[in-house]
Amino acid sequence: DIQMTQSPSSLSASVGDRITITCRASQNIGNHLNWFRQKPGEGPKLLIYAASTLQTGVPSRFSGNGSGTEFTLSIIRVQPEDFATYFCQQSYSISPITFGQGTRLEIK
Amino acid sequence: QVQLQESGPGLVKPSETLSLTCTVSGGSISSSYWSWIRQAPGKGLEWIGCVYYSGRTDYNPSLKSRVTISVDTSKNQFSLKLSSVTAADTAVYYCARRIYDRSGSRFDSWGQGTRVTVSS
């Protein structure tokens, strides 16, 4: 299995801050990396796919970068609705598809 | 905008079979891949498997011996059966659409999730 490791596991920020979350893959996955936001009680929402492509309808304050084994998700000017948990997911190998363990963004 | 809704029992006894259905609305199930993903309490997301409208399936090797995912195109639904459940199968179960194109694959639409508890 391809292991996905996110860091940090949690972080605190204020509205308007810029934050960055890192996701590392246990092997080269090219750009086959997706990012999701999950609010409590809801299903995950796709934010970024193919490492850096913004999903339709997602605000431009979200951006993704990276390739190979190291990837980042950045949010500039964090908004109140962004306080949630973020997951990365590799789509390079389907056997199996794997997710990172999540990063919880909390209000400072 | 495609929408997905999970349904099924919220409580299943140990050793029995967990059965869930996902109803797709706002689009046809006769395209894309359709997936089940679960999240145990306080844990991350675990991919269970996918079905294509043709009936072709892919399963997580860790669950493959207990999982069956099937599709009913006439009802625009797909289903999950997980046999011989234990407390470790207690989780929120999500259905999701997985699309695949030249940019790769991604889960672009998700249901709200349904909580299943395994307990006697």
Side-chain angles (χ1 to χ4, degrees), chain A residues 74-91:
Chain A
S74 296
I75 312 174
I76 59 171
R77 297 187 297 275
V78 169
Q79 297 300 298
E81 61 267 31
D82 298 333
F83 293 102
T85 301
Y86 293 83
F87 293 95
C88 61
Q89 173 245 323
Q90 65 81 16
S91 57

Side-chain angles (χ1 to χ4, degrees), chain A residues 34 36 38 44 49 91 94, chain B residues 39 45 47 94 105-107 110:
Chain A
N34 306 319
F36 299 87
Q38 184 178 30
Y49 63 93
S91 57
I94 195 174
Chain B
Q39 188 171 32
L45 297 161
W47 175 72
Y94 296 98
S105 74
R106 54 212 179 263
F107 299 109
W110 296 65

Side-chain angles (χ1 to χ4, degrees), chain A residues 1 31-32 34 36 38 41-46 49-50 53 55 87 89 91 94-102, chain B residues 35 37 39 43-47 50 56 58-61 94 98 101 103-113:
Chain A
D1 298 9
N31 71 338
H32 295 278
N34 306 319
F36 299 87
Q38 184 178 30
E42 298 183 5
K45 175 183 177 179
L46 178 66
Y49 63 93
T53 302
Q55 170 71 349
F87 293 95
Q89 173 245 323
S91 57
I94 195 174
S95 192
I97 294 169
T98 48
F99 294 83
Q101 81 280 13
Chain B
S35 306
I37 297 157
Q39 188 171 32
K43 299 290 182 68
L45 297 161
E46 181 180 30
W47 175 72
C50 291
R56 175 196 154 180
D58 289 299
Y59 298 136
N60 190 322
Y94 296 98
R98 174 175 164 250
D101 59 21
S103 295
S105 74
R106 54 212 179 263
F107 299 109
D108 73 329
S109 298
W110 296 65
Q112 283 217 309

Side-chain angles (χ1 to χ4, degrees), chain B residues 57-104:
Chain B
T57 54
D58 289 299
Y59 298 136
N60 190 322
S62 69
L63 297 168
K64 186 173 184 176
S65 64
R66 299 194 291 129
V67 172
T68 302
I69 299 176
S70 58
V71 63
D72 186 337
T73 54
S74 67
K75 295 181 180 179
N76 237 32
Q77 293 177 334
F78 62 106
S79 299
L80 168 69
K81 291 188 185 300
L82 181 65
S83 64
S84 305
V85 297
T86 69
D89 296 308
T90 293
V92 175
Y93 286 75
Y94 296 98
C95 57
R97 181 175 74 170
R98 174 175 164 250
I99 61 174
Y100 184 75
D101 59 21
R102 60 183 177 181
S103 295

